Amino acid sequence: MDKLIISGGKRLCGTVKVSGAKNAVLPIIAAALLGTSPSRLMETPRLDDVRTISEVIECLGAKVRWEDTDTLVVDSSDITGCEAPYELVRKMRASFLVMGPLLARTGFAKISLPGGCAIGTRPIDLHLKGFEALGAEIVLGHGYVEAKAPRGLHGARIYLDFPSVGATENILMAAALAKGTTVLENPAEEPEVVDLANFLNAMGAKIRGAGTNVIKVEGVNELRGATHTVIPDRIEAGTYMVGAAITNGDVYIENALTEHLKPVVAKLKEAGVRIEEDINGVRVQGTGFLRTVDIKTLPYPGFPTDMQAQFMALMTVAHGTSIITETVFENRFMHVDELKRMGANIKIEGRSAVVEGVPRLQGCPVKATDLRAGAALVLAGLAAEGQTEISCIHHIDRGYDNLVGKLKSLGADIERVIG
Ligand SMILES: CC(=O)N[C@H]1[C@@H](OP(=O)(O)OP(=O)(O)OC[C@H]2O[C@@H](n3ccc(=O)[nH]c3=O)[C@H](O)[C@@H]2O)O[C@H](CO)[C@@H](O)[C@@H]1O
Ligand SMILES: C=C(OP(=O)(O)O)C(=O)O
């Protein structure tokens, strides 16, 4: 098992470019299954999750190849299968996003029930509610979900009890080929949903209102492949912004869209971090003094849950007390125990963590429990006194493209030790 070894205390300085968004490209790769001709996806990040979902759609008969460093070509002209196996779906929940396209394209889909993961049970009831509303028959059994629509799908009015990102995306992909009009109420409004809708429209879909609280879809008979540039990863960008702040550094994050990061920018400014936004990115400078601030995670446009762990790492070395409340997932404080091993002073009270800032963290061996918890430990290690050794870094490999290379280019003392 590989590990990361970080010697803390180095200021991050310089320029880093943000890669394409994991949470945009995964549904977009799934959506390419709808196309009867090849799609070219530019700014595709080199992530384990991209490899996993590529394996899933190859199981279904799609052909996937890299055209150059960051362009992925997906050819789903011939779909030969309708079943996504457990060993792939369990690796990455987002594999479940192939259900909507498969159902719409072939009238049948059999997908392994996605397990939960460290951050919560992560059910799929809203996905299935949407598919049934569109006319699919759903059968659960033997760890699989089967969806059948032999006569095709039809439009429907669907209300989501919670603005689930995945359910919104799965339903949009299914509705794109349904007969008639679908109205989706209370959908997720994340930028990644908008990017998916833009890709689907480039394929010939008729989707209006993505990014608002009502989305309308006019079903069409066929979708063709399209060329699309994936939006920058706002969570990767936010992670490097916190990296600059926690090391009292000075980092220009190229390609960052701060429009997608308003709550993170606002909270970093409240904490005393200097932020200069421009059309090509954002400059983040530490000011030598960090104030604690309170955060509460919410669906977009609220503070993103995917930035909660990273921000908590920052608050562990700020002056004062911070209350961090996680409202989206029921178990997303797995990083707390590991940060406490490094000397952080954190108490969990229900869905909130009370963080008392300490002067400095101490490097030590810690374990990544999930993707963003791992990112938080990297940030803590960059600021800590001494050496931090992070194990189980396969979690981190899911969502950060060339993390070690990018941090090294900013002056971090970090090595990946092959285990
Ligand atoms: C690949 C991808 O895009 N992952 C993101 C996506 O995950 P994902 O799409 O899984 O997250 P959801 O928005 O669906 O989940 C949010 C909440 O809704 C609940 N829920 C979800 C579906 C459902 O059918 N029933 C239900 O109750 C979940 O348990 C969770 O408590 O959005 C999350 C919330 O922004 C992010 O943290 C993830 O990084
Ligand atoms: C939770 C995340 O991703 P996933 O939904 O793929 O687990 C994340 O990106 O923080």
Side-chain angles (χ1 to χ4, degrees):
M1 298 279 275
D2 294 3
K3 291 181 179 178
L4 292 178
I5 310 291
I6 301 170
S7 293
K10 310 287 188 301
R11 295 177 64 236
L12 295 188
C13 294
T15 296
V16 66
K17 184 178 179 187
V18 174
S19 301
K22 166 180 88 79
N23 290 350
V25 78
L26 294 178
I28 285 171
I29 291 171
L33 282 172
L34 291 162
T36 54
S37 59
S39 289
R40 292 178 73 249
L41 308 177
M42 294 179 290
E43 301 286 334
T44 296
R46 294 269 181 165
L47 302 172
D48 282 3
D49 275 7
V50 169
R51 184 182 311 118
T52 301
I53 199 160
S54 298
E55 290 170 5
V56 172
I57 65 172
E58 284 174 326
C59 272
L60 304 170
K63 296 180 182 58
V64 183
R65 63 181 172 81
W66 287 98
E67 193 163 69
D68 55 37
T69 51
D70 61 7
T71 299
L72 194 71
V73 177
V74 179
D75 183 355
S76 302
S77 309
D78 304 310
I79 296 289
T80 56
C82 294
E83 182 171 334
Y86 172 67
E87 61 271 12
L88 285 175
V89 177
R90 74 177 177 79
K91 278 170 73 176
M92 182 189 68
R93 290 180 37 76
S95 309
F96 195 71
L97 290 170
V98 304
M99 179 148 244
L102 259 186
L103 181 60
R105 177 90 187 269
T106 70
F108 178 77
K110 182 178 180 181
I111 314 290
S112 168
L113 272 171
C117 67
I119 64 177
T121 53
R122 304 183 75 175
I124 55 167
D125 57 304
L126 298 175
H127 299 240
L128 303 183
K129 171 184 174 182
F131 295 145
E132 286 180 319
L134 294 170
E137 179 198 350
I138 302 291
V139 177
L140 296 172
H142 306 290
Y144 277 83
V145 183
E146 283 190 14
K148 302 172 187 171
R151 290 184 300 283
L153 299 172
H154 58 69
R157 179 178 288 273
I158 302 165
Y159 175 81
L160 289 182
D161 303 339
F162 182 88
S164 156
V165 172
T168 300
E169 292 167 342
N170 240 334
I171 294 166
L172 280 186
M173 291 187 279
L177 288 180
K179 296 179 188 68
T181 302
T182 295
V183 177
L184 186 52
E185 294 175 323
N186 194 36
E189 302 177 17
E190 273 73 359
E192 294 78 19
V193 172
V194 177
D195 205 32
L196 170 66
N198 289 338
F199 174 62
L200 288 166
N201 284 338
M203 296 177 81
K206 293 180 179 173
I207 300 171
R208 297 291 176 269
T212 74
N213 63 359
V214 179
I215 302 176
K216 288 187 178 174
V217 185
E218 297 290 339
V220 296
N221 294 324
E222 182 184 0
L223 294 174
R224 311 276 302 158
T227 295
H228 182 79
T229 300
V230 178
I231 57 169
D233 193 316
R234 61 191 169 104
I235 306 302
E236 183 192 19
T239 303
Y240 284 103
M241 292 173 77
V242 172
I246 204 171
T247 61
N248 196 29
D250 182 352
V251 177
Y252 184 75
I253 299 149
E254 186 186 338
N255 202 32
L257 282 178
T258 49
E259 176 68 21
H260 294 165
L261 278 165
K262 286 182 179 177
V264 175
V265 170
K267 287 297 179 178
L268 285 172
K269 285 181 176 175
E270 273 180 46
V273 179
R274 186 175 302 123
I275 294 184
E276 295 167 24
E277 303 167 64
D278 68 40
I279 194 161
N280 296 313
V282 60
R283 182 180 180 186
V284 181
Q285 293 170 281
T287 57
F289 184 83
L290 275 173
R291 283 187 293 275
T292 52
V293 294
D294 296 341
I295 63 163
K296 181 177 188 179
T297 67
L298 288 167
Y300 195 89
F303 191 97
T305 174
D306 292 356
M307 278 299 303
Q308 179 257 108
Q310 300 92 308
F311 208 87
M312 185 185 291
L314 182 67
M315 291 295 101
T316 65
V317 290
H319 292 78
T321 302
S322 164
I323 310 289
I324 296 178
T325 304
E326 172 59 59
T327 72
V328 177
F329 289 103
E330 70 269 25
N331 189 37
R332 202 167 196 173
F333 284 148
M334 303 286 280
H335 41 283
V336 167
D337 285 344
E338 299 302 302
L339 288 170
K340 288 169 73 172
R341 282 176 49 74
M342 299 178 73
N345 181 346
I346 309 171
K347 293 184 191 64
I348 293 178
E349 294 176 5
R351 299 202 73 157
S352 295
V354 180
V355 184
E356 299 283 349
V358 297
R360 186 116 194 248
L361 296 176
Q362 304 301 317
C364 71
V366 289
K367 184 174 75 169
T369 52
D370 57 85
L371 168 55
R372 305 303 174 185
L377 295 174
V378 170
L379 295 169
L382 290 172
E385 183 179 6
Q387 183 169 282
T388 299
E389 179 184 287
I390 305 174
S391 58
C392 300
I393 58 173
H394 59 278
H395 289 294
I396 303 173
D397 293 337
R398 289 185 46 219
Y400 287 91
D401 185 353
N402 189 26
L403 177 70
V404 171
K406 289 181 179 180
L407 286 175
K408 276 188 168 185
S409 74
L410 294 173
D413 183 343
I414 181 171
E415 295 296 336
R416 182 181 189 119
V417 174
I418 308 299

